[in-house]
Amino acid sequence: SSSSSSSSSRRRASSHRATTTTPRVCGGDTTTDANQQKPSKTSSSSLITRRALLAGVATAAPAADAAVRWTADGLDTDRAFFHAFPPIWEPYFGWGERRTVTRPIVDGIIWSLEQEQALDVLAMNVRTTVVKLAADGSLVVFSPQAPTGEFFRAIDALGPVSHVVLPTYALEHKVYLPAFCRRYPNARVWVADGIWSVPIDLPLPLLGIDPSSGGVLKRAEDRGADDVAPPWADEIDYKVLRVDSAGANPYVEAVFLHAASKTLIVTDLVLSIPATPPEVISRERLLNLAPNDPADAPAADTEENLKIGWAKASLVVSFLGPSRQSQIKGGAYDGKLKWEPGFEASFEKISDRLIPSPILRTLVFSKGKGPTRRFVNEVCDDWGGEFETIAPAHYDAPVRGDCASLRAAFAFIDDPGEDGLGLTTPGAELPAEDMGVLLQVNDVLEKIGLGKGTEL
């Protein structure tokens, strides 16, 4: 009934609070842009554990100058943008080009704006999720992507922007926020508590991110009496996961419940890899990856070859070094990927299912079983009957998913099975033959004192 719905909204608003001060413009008085920071020296362990592994694309990088573009010549001006901060995807520096594909997740209420995040032949889609508030028709924008004319025009077509949310620390979800703030200076900024940066953990305003216009989204146990709820809390509830035992810095992610549409909005907590490639992924890229031998690339432009290229890209992004893939050493194809038959079975085991990323599962959630378990239980206890679909920031969305499917995806935490990793645990299965590189990375991190994990 409308009465019970209103009561539920009031409970959410009163129980979920965020630190705020007097509202200011989106970017505040900050002039430093995260995209304009110069690279500096940092420890290899910090780069490995966060910028490379957790982003999920760190294999077979091309020569550095292959993705450095000094001018915008030849680029579609509506899809071009300039990138000065060195990420681990293309462009490493300079001008880049990204297409934006807009799709409804819930008609008239929630939308997906997707772009391609790529490294050489490897690619995945990355999503900005936009929610229209029923109260005033304005927009809440989660994790804005590359600041192209096409992207901004898609946003403007949906309505006026009132709020922008940074739900996690991961570079691909936060690096474009300053540019978004310059485009929408009156939007209020909300960030998950515990956001950090590498190579130096700078205050957020020095990264071009000023939450004084909005606030910091805190875990329930960290909220104080003076904290106040964000204006959208009546419609969008939130919870924050923090895992401190997975490395030098915490894993932080806020997730959101849009109760009216029964939609759970997440960033990296879970994903579902579709069997067919998302529309935004470059056909050329997939056709170059489709042949088992790179000497035979590109493959013929057929739907079947596109699916093959997508399966291979998804396996490398998921496992870093799947068992049926190896890198060629020497010769004309040095560094390129060569494949053996059998990868299809591995892809079938991870596609069209709700799962945590195998990288995050191995290097984060398995290291912080206690906080991860408590978080999943909290989501299910408080929101168990309130969501039927899930909208992750990568791969497919919306995905059919409820509390039961979320618990199943994390069943490896309490049921590690005979292998100790839960690779055969119902609902949480992963292809054991593809876990070798991830487990080697895990061993290296533990030897250097990172990510030993805790059961607390």
Side-chain angles (χ1 to χ4, degrees), residues 297-321:
D301 190 348
T302 66
E303 293 302 314
E304 183 61 27
N305 283 335
L306 291 171
K307 289 181 181 179
I308 292 172
W310 173 245
K312 292 176 178 178
S314 300
L315 285 169
V316 177
V317 169
S318 297
F319 297 103
L320 302 182

Side-chain angles (χ1 to χ4, degrees), residues 236-251:
I236 308 172
D237 206 351
Y238 74 91
K239 297 182 183 294
V240 180
L241 168 63
R242 179 177 176 125
V243 176
D244 288 297
S245 53
N249 301 101
Y251 176 89

Side-chain angles (χ1 to χ4, degrees), residues 229-276:
W232 38 263
D234 280 348
E235 299 183 40
I236 308 172
D237 206 351
Y238 74 91
K239 297 182 183 294
V240 180
L241 168 63
R242 179 177 176 125
V243 176
D244 288 297
S245 53
N249 301 101
Y251 176 89
V252 176
E253 180 179 345
V255 304
F256 305 85
L257 172 69
H258 186 260
S261 66
K262 293 185 175 293
T263 302
L264 185 70
I265 300 170
V266 306
T267 305
D268 296 320
L269 183 71
V270 287
L271 52 82
S272 178
I273 302 173
T276 57

Side-chain angles (χ1 to χ4, degrees), residues 22-74:
T22 302
R24 293 165 54 192
V25 295
C26 181
D29 299 323
T30 301
T31 56
T32 302
D33 188 327
N35 290 352
Q36 296 173 340
Q37 294 183 76
K38 295 181 179 179
S40 59
K41 295 181 179 179
T42 186
S43 68
S44 59
S45 62
S46 176
L47 287 175
I48 289 174
T49 56
R50 297 300 173 181
R51 291 189 55 191
L53 298 181
L54 299 189
V57 284
T59 303
D65 62 357
V68 174
R69 187 186 291 268
W70 297 100
T71 73
D73 294 346

